[in-house]
Amino acid sequence: MTDELDLIGALGSAEPLRPEAYQRARAVLRAAMADPGTVRLLGATSAEDTTMETSSTMETTTTTTTTRDHESSPAPQRRGIGIAGRLGIGAGVGVAAAAAVVAVALSSSAPGGMEAGKAGKDSSAATPGSTTVDGSAERAPLMTLAGSITTVTPAAGDAWLVKATQIHGTKTMQVVYTLYTDGHAIYTGNSVQDIKRAIARHQDQMTDGGYAPLLKAAVAAADSSPADGRTRMLKAAKDPLVGLDPAAQKAVWDKQQADVQVIIKQKGGNAEPKPYSPQAVERHFDNALWTYSTQALSAGNGNTQVRAGVLRLLSTISAVSVENSTTHGKATLTITAGPEVFGGEGSEVLTIDATTGMLVKDVSTVPGLPPASTTYESSRVTKVDL
């Protein structure tokens, strides 16, 4: 019988996933690592038609992505997968995520696996239906930068052009070009020519793309209280636990634990369900907030309000650390989400410009997988001169 693991193996001989598909799949995996027992492998999907400009023909695909804890995620997929029409991007990413989630869930029952790595700080118990906010001084630079970048006026041009190069292990998987106009439109493609076609066809990802709900939540967070910003982002991601009282949260939690136990047993695993607690829910919220906020940052990197909102959101996660750094001679900030954010395994490190807040590099490590990194090159341009 063919299952998710068989299908993901078949992807090895196919054309590489299109822009950010691997990143999204890894984000799903990182989310699953925080509490694999709450993964909705079956039924935790949503579909959204998305479009992308390519150098040949327009692709319209249906996006279906398996996500942890999210009954109906905003399916923030902006691009298709080139497997000669056999699979849409959702199939590719969903299969990859499903296989990875099962692997993580199975590893939790092995010595030295996920359960052995859970030790770490517990977040404070949450007020019923809400999320807590840790305003540690260690993350104060994020709040400071969030406030300052909204007052910075670029010296030239009317848009940011960002080239993102993603590497999986030692292999370049994809290169994405994105134009962020000062009027807050976002156009993306595999080349500058693709961007010009997207502009001509009014394919603004800020309003119509799969990332739009997360981008709007990030923009709102720029002017909201930290607690309201967290709640809005989690609601944009359709997190099933946010806004519920403890009794309702426990009912949802226990059902998801029971559902995933069926999958684990089908795969020959033997992992204990994770019991409900306010602390476990808060760790889940922190993990989900990191996952979806960084997706919004990747998608809206050239939008000042998106950057400001995401920085404010990340400053509320207790297991996130911030350090001053220097990258290629320029002042940067290094933002690290360590194992505590991901259930005791793996990490993600963002490097951002210390003046603009724009992404410079994103490095993700997941046990058992090659490291993945995305490098961002940003420049000011004039839209009509592309």
Side-chain angles (χ1 to χ4, degrees):
M1 180 179 68
T2 299
D3 62 11
E4 295 93 342
L5 297 177
D6 298 321
L7 289 174
I8 195 62
L11 291 178
S13 59
E15 180 182 340
L17 298 179
R18 287 292 175 87
E20 291 185 10
Y22 275 102
Q23 178 177 334
R24 173 62 177 158
R26 290 176 69 98
V28 172
L29 174 58
R30 290 195 304 268
M33 291 171 66
D35 44 288
T38 59
V39 179
R40 295 296 297 272
L41 289 179
L42 302 175
T45 61
S46 67
E48 177 172 349
D49 287 339
T50 60
T51 59
M52 176 195 176
E53 284 295 338
T54 68
S55 57
S56 54
T57 59
M58 174 79 91
E59 292 182 336
T60 303
T61 65
T62 298
T63 301
T64 307
T65 303
T66 302
T67 60
R68 175 192 60 99
D69 288 340
H70 304 285
E71 295 229 351
S72 177
S73 90
Q77 241 68 38
R78 294 183 289 169
R79 304 163 180 93
I81 178 174
I83 307 186
R86 291 190 294 120
L87 296 172
I89 187 168
V93 175
V95 166
V101 165
V102 170
V104 171
L106 294 180
S107 71
S108 67
S109 62
M114 292 292 298
E115 293 300 316
K118 286 195 306 182
K121 294 182 291 184
D122 276 355
S123 300
S124 300
T127 307
S130 69
T131 65
T132 62
V133 175
D134 179 355
S136 170
E138 182 182 13
R139 292 176 296 285
L142 297 181
M143 293 290 285
T144 301
L145 181 56
S148 67
I149 62 177
T150 57
T151 63
V152 174
T153 302
D158 61 7
W160 284 102
L161 179 63
V162 178
K163 176 185 177 183
T165 303
Q166 188 174 63
I167 297 175
H168 183 72
T170 59
K171 182 179 180 181
T172 299
M173 303 305 300
Q174 51 203 358
V175 178
V176 187
Y177 291 83
T178 307
L179 184 75
Y180 303 92
T181 73
D182 291 349
H184 307 303
I186 302 175
Y187 303 100
T188 189
N190 288 328
S191 66
V192 173
Q193 189 63 32
D194 288 347
I195 289 177
K196 293 169 70 173
R197 275 194 292 272
I199 293 172
R201 298 179 182 184
H202 307 290
Q203 293 173 333
D204 180 2
Q205 299 291 330
M206 185 68 190
T207 57
D208 297 328
Y211 284 103
L214 304 184
L215 292 171
K216 292 173 183 176
V219 169
D223 296 316
S224 302
S225 70
D228 287 346
R230 281 173 65 95
T231 298
R232 184 155 184 166
M233 178 59 76
L234 291 170
K235 286 185 175 180
K238 300 189 185 302
D239 188 285
L241 300 180
V242 69
L244 301 181
D245 61 40
Q249 282 184 345
K250 185 177 186 303
V252 173
W253 182 282
D254 289 346
K255 183 179 185 303
Q256 293 182 345
Q257 290 287 325
D259 289 347
V260 83
Q261 285 298 307
V262 174
I263 304 299
I264 291 173
K265 290 178 180 177
Q266 287 176 351
K267 298 297 180 181
N270 184 27
E272 290 294 323
K274 291 185 65 175
Y276 168 85
S277 71
Q279 293 81 9
V281 170
E282 197 61 24
R283 286 194 295 269
H284 157 74
F285 283 150
D286 280 351
N287 172 266
L289 189 71
W290 174 273
T291 299
Y292 289 107
S293 295
T294 54
Q295 285 179 24
L297 182 60
S298 177
N301 185 28
N303 183 301
T304 300
Q305 290 297 108
V306 169
R307 296 197 307 276
V310 169
L311 292 178
R312 289 171 62 86
L313 290 170
L314 297 185
S315 74
T316 70
I317 302 175
S318 62
V320 166
S321 63
V322 183
E323 295 181 353
N324 293 319
S325 54
T326 302
T327 306
H328 303 307
K330 296 186 65 175
T332 52
L333 290 180
T334 298
I335 308 169
T336 302
E340 292 173 12
V341 179
F342 307 114
E345 301 279 354
S347 66
E348 186 170 8
V349 179
L350 305 180
T351 303
I352 63 172
D353 187 284
T355 301
T356 66
M358 294 188 71
L359 282 165
V360 176
K361 194 168 187 177
D362 177 355
V363 179
S364 168
T365 58
V366 174
L369 295 178
S373 66
T374 303
T375 302
Y376 299 84
E377 302 171 62
S378 306
S379 58
R380 290 291 293 179
V381 299
T382 301
K383 179 181 172 183
V384 297
D385 292 337
L386 285 178

